[in-house]
Amino acid sequence: MLKLPITEIFSSIQGEGPYVGVRQIFLRLPNCNLNCPYCDTNTSIPPQFRMEADSGTQLFKQFDNPVPIDKLLALIETYDVNLHHSLSITGGEPLLWVKELKVLLPLLRDKGFKIYLETNGTLPEQLLEVLPWVDIISMDIKLPFDGQVFWDVHEFFLRYSLQKEVFIKLVVQEDTSLINLHIARDLIARVDPLIQTILQPVTPTHGIKAPKPDQLLKWQSFFLEKLRNIRVIPQTHVFMGQL
Ligand code: SF4
């Protein structure tokens, strides 16, 4: 039986993007192909993963990694599918586990779970492999950092994503460059100006500062010159004290 390493499983409130506030099961997978400066997630593979015993208590049971897919499915099925809007596959970068997801996602769909994929949007070929079983794609657009640029892979990824429901999340900070916002905006407009785009002010960390109020309003106006559906939404789970 195929096995998959897990970081954690819990039921909570989606804190980001257009689905903010809905109840979801979160399945967080380890490893990432990027190293974003504002990353707040430990992406290493733990010897054991944790699953919240009762939602909201932050009391966890521990299970050995990697876990066989059938055991993982049984753990997820302890949640009431009807209580949850969808199951968020998050990370790390979940698309690094395509071989395993191609087995797991059809089984989850058969059990009635809607699949919400949170991804950094840099692995378009891997997306194509799991696309049949994904319902909603939350795609990041990563602005360049450490000399790395992602514009081309993002454009491929976004074009493939149009086969499903997709929205874009773009984290902005005080020193975000207007040139990069310009390139990001025009990339989205080229693919489809109706794609919902969320400007997400960074949650301050590692000395990185959130944008000032006037910056956010100017940037939203700038995006609205070419795109129709731009919202500014911060990470709300942080101030709700949710996982
Ligand atoms: S893509 Fe996400 S998980 Fe990976 S380094 Fe960036 S913020 Fe962290």
Side-chain angles (χ1 to χ4, degrees):
M1 168 60 72
L2 202 57
K3 294 181 175 181
L4 178 62
I6 305 293
T7 304
E8 58 184 357
I9 307 174
F10 56 95
S11 163
S12 187
I13 297 166
Q14 173 58 249
E16 300 180 357
Y19 284 93
V20 67
V22 303
R23 185 74 172 263
Q24 287 184 321
I25 298 164
F26 291 82
L27 176 63
R28 186 181 305 284
L29 305 185
N31 287 359
C32 190
N33 57 325
L34 302 183
N35 188 17
C36 306
Y38 50 79
C39 185
D40 58 0
T41 306
N42 181 353
T43 58
S44 59
I45 300 178
Q48 292 191 311
F49 70 90
R50 64 181 197 171
M51 181 169 173
E52 201 173 25
D54 277 313
S55 300
T57 60
Q58 304 212 359
L59 298 172
F60 296 91
K61 292 181 185 166
Q62 303 285 335
F63 299 89
D64 289 338
N65 261 332
V67 59
I69 296 284
D70 58 349
K71 183 173 178 191
L72 175 59
L73 193 64
L75 288 173
I76 292 171
E77 279 193 274
T78 61
Y79 293 111
D80 179 355
V81 63
N82 296 315
L83 188 70
H84 294 87
H85 170 272
S86 46
L87 186 147
S88 171
I89 311 275
T90 187
E93 175 45 56
L95 290 177
L96 293 173
W97 300 100
V98 155
K99 185 174 72 171
E100 292 79 3
L101 291 179
K102 283 170 75 172
V103 176
L104 176 64
L105 296 190
L107 296 171
L108 288 170
R109 289 273 298 256
D110 285 349
K111 300 290 182 188
F113 291 103
K114 191 191 273 190
I115 304 299
Y116 176 108
L117 176 69
E118 296 200 60
T119 167
N120 63 30
T122 60
L123 299 171
E125 300 309 319
Q126 289 85 338
L127 173 71
L128 280 184
E129 292 199 51
V130 298
L131 204 51
W133 305 285
V134 172
D135 297 287
I136 302 168
I137 301 168
S138 166
M139 172 194 169
D140 290 348
I141 284 195
K142 299 291 185 187
L143 300 181
F145 62 86
D146 294 344
Q148 302 174 77
V149 291
F150 310 101
W151 304 124
D152 288 348
V153 284
H154 277 332
E155 186 159 347
F156 279 118
F157 195 101
L158 189 54
R159 289 187 186 281
Y160 293 160
S161 298
L162 289 181
Q163 297 174 47
K164 299 289 173 137
E165 180 181 340
V166 60
F167 66 89
I168 290 168
K169 217 170 54 188
L170 203 164
V171 176
V172 288
Q173 57 195 62
E174 190 182 38
D175 62 359
T176 294
S177 97
L178 189 57
I179 292 171
N180 285 331
L181 292 180
H182 199 135
I183 298 170
R185 181 195 69 174
D186 289 0
L187 185 160
I188 301 164
R190 254 194 323 277
V191 177
D192 183 347
L194 296 178
I195 293 171
Q196 178 157 203
T197 302
I198 310 299
L199 299 180
Q200 181 174 295
V202 71
T203 300
T205 181
H206 309 317
I208 296 173
K209 293 183 184 158
K212 296 194 167 63
D214 64 315
Q215 285 180 297
L216 283 173
L217 290 171
K218 277 183 197 147
W219 292 342
Q220 187 181 38
S221 303
F222 176 72
F223 273 71
L224 282 165
E225 287 171 16
K226 289 204 174 176
L227 305 175
R228 294 274 55 84
N229 199 351
I230 308 295
R231 299 189 198 185
V232 178
I233 306 177
Q235 286 188 306
T236 65
H237 54 288
V238 178
F239 59 79
M240 287 191 284
Q242 299 287 341
L243 284 174

